[in-house]
Amino acid sequence: MRAILVLIAASFAASVPDTNWWETALVYQIYPRSFKDTNDDGIGDLNGITSKLDYLKKTGVDAIWLSPIFLSPMYDFGYDISDYRQIAPEYGTMEDFQNLIKTAKEVGIRVVLDLVPNHTSNESDWFIRSVRREPHYENYYIWADGIPDPEHPGELLPPSNWISVFGNGAWEYNKERGQYYLHQFVIGQPDLNYREPKVQQEMNDVIRFWLDKGVSGFRVDAVIYLYEADSKNYNGSYPDEPLSGKKGFDSDDYDYLNHIYTRDLNETYDVIYNWRDVMDEYIEKDGENKLMMTEAYTSLANVMKYYGTGKRNGSVPFNFSLLENINNQSTAFDIKLVIDKWMTYMPVGKTANWVNGNHDQSRLASRLGDSRVDAMNMLALILPGIAVTYQGEEIGMTDGFVSLNDTKDPQALNPTDPIKYWKKSRDPERTPYHWDASKHAGFSQTTGKTWLPIADNYKTLNLAAQMSAEKSHYKFYKDVATARKCCALREGDLHVKALSESLLVVTRLLPGTPGIIGLINLSSQEQIADLSSIKLLPNKLLVVASGVDCELEIGAPYLKSNLPLSGHCAAVLKTADNCC
Ligand code: NOJ
């Protein structure tokens, strides 16, 4: 009887779709332009990504998220899309993309694309048709009449005082249509109008187009900006936003205003839930649940709404709390609070996620210092849920130096400010990946320049060097990523304990399987960690991974009451030899 039940259970498991793959996934963000160039034009490409899939799999990566690869004039490096269904020629062809998908399937890596629904490029066919007021497209964007300027008769003022995220007015006049259009980012990124059902239909079709090509989900860009105040409620016009009162901001800075009419509107969440439904159409067909991660830099209360409501499923909103709230002075108490806060506010039954970097944020090693790289990478990898790694964080890359002359980021050049450009520039975290110590860091064989300069520490800080070193950020990262296969890191209960200002302990325990323990010494002095107060742990612990500043020996046993942690040590231990 027991044997029959086991057989039934096994055949059921085989036919049930792998719905949960992303709940414990290690998602690696690739910024295609800076990852690997195979046609020697100084710009990364799809074939470059394909050539590294095997290596990524061996590192422990489950899925790659590609920053936009679609046709674009590249004012905002792909976040300004002119055709959602075409590949940017500098990145390759549709055939290259299909080859990438095929190879990824073979090696067992899932591919997640960037969906940029808030705005298109002003070179998009939709925009060109909307400018011409072609009937179907007339309301695809936020168009509004100018306001007659009382001081200069015959001239027009923008419809409202709204400011773009990158600075300066958010309205641009279009002569041909005789109206202003809204752009919450650069002028070349007109905002789509989500009050127009046809726009929602278009985006649903774009999602289906790529799911049909075999992708496993989307990272959804800038969702908080999807809706603006409905002009119908304001006699056809758009209301001015009030001043924020924040100090130190000029009248053309985004933070000068309080954005009550241009972000976080309640209508937003339903659109996200609808996209979830579209993706769920594929569960049976593809035998997997699709991942949707949403980018929302907003209040925690708003972020949590992206998970869904009681009735409707949503997405996994990025958890930017490690990025935003931890610095090089943060204590173990601070880090515990940041972790606990997310876990406390997250709705029951949802999947957490942990992010240490992306293409919009200064790099981990530059923000927190090299001595905290292992600790933060380890946290992202051993906390429950999805770990998100931005390319290069696994080797502790630093921000590169990019002169004003070499600067490409529109956020830094809007308008060009020779003094302050670097404060806003995101180019330093986008400099090409350091594969090895050869010319252009092994990123490209171009005889000219790479699209952004290579950071000048690449000769010593690169993947090849870290692979052959006895200890390195990469080796530690890989060891911890490997430990993610242990049941305790997939399903185990989480306990975070600050033993002191500088000692943090994270335990993941699951009855019946070996437990996993993460240890961090934030100070530069050796500290003895005594875990006697954690009663569920056995006396003997084995080292699984030991960071660059850690003297604990991999495989060696230690007593839980006496764990000597050298300055800046980050380490992972387990309670027994096997894994699950
Ligand atoms: C967020 C993206 O991460 C960023 O790079 C881009 O500039 C804006 N959204 C606009 O799409």
Side-chain angles (χ1 to χ4, degrees), residues 161-214:
N161 69 346
W162 296 354
I163 297 174
S164 106
V165 178
F166 290 161
N168 297 314
W171 294 100
E172 180 70 8
Y173 189 69
N174 181 282
K175 259 198 193 152
E176 190 181 341
R177 171 142 169 166
Q179 277 191 310
Y180 283 84
Y181 69 84
L182 178 72
H183 58 91
Q184 294 231 46
F185 293 89
V186 294
I187 288 172
Q189 289 169 306
D191 266 53
L192 284 162
N193 174 15
Y194 275 81
R195 298 190 190 281
E196 167 59 66
K198 291 182 204 110
V199 166
Q200 298 210 22
Q201 187 55 48
E202 287 277 13
M203 215 42 79
N204 292 350
D205 290 347
V206 167
I207 291 171
R208 291 191 185 103
F209 177 84
W210 291 105
L211 291 177
D212 285 340
K213 295 220 176 290

Side-chain angles (χ1 to χ4, degrees), residues 525-561:
Q525 308 297 317
E526 183 182 90
Q527 310 266 330
I528 305 292
D530 177 358
L531 308 188
S532 306
S533 60
I534 308 178
K535 304 287 181 220
L536 288 172
L537 292 182
N539 282 334
K540 201 183 82 179
L541 304 173
L542 298 167
V543 180
V544 175
S546 172
V548 286
D549 293 320
C550 197
E551 282 162 21
L552 298 185
E553 213 182 298
I554 294 186
Y558 286 86
L559 284 181
K560 77 167 177 179
S561 56

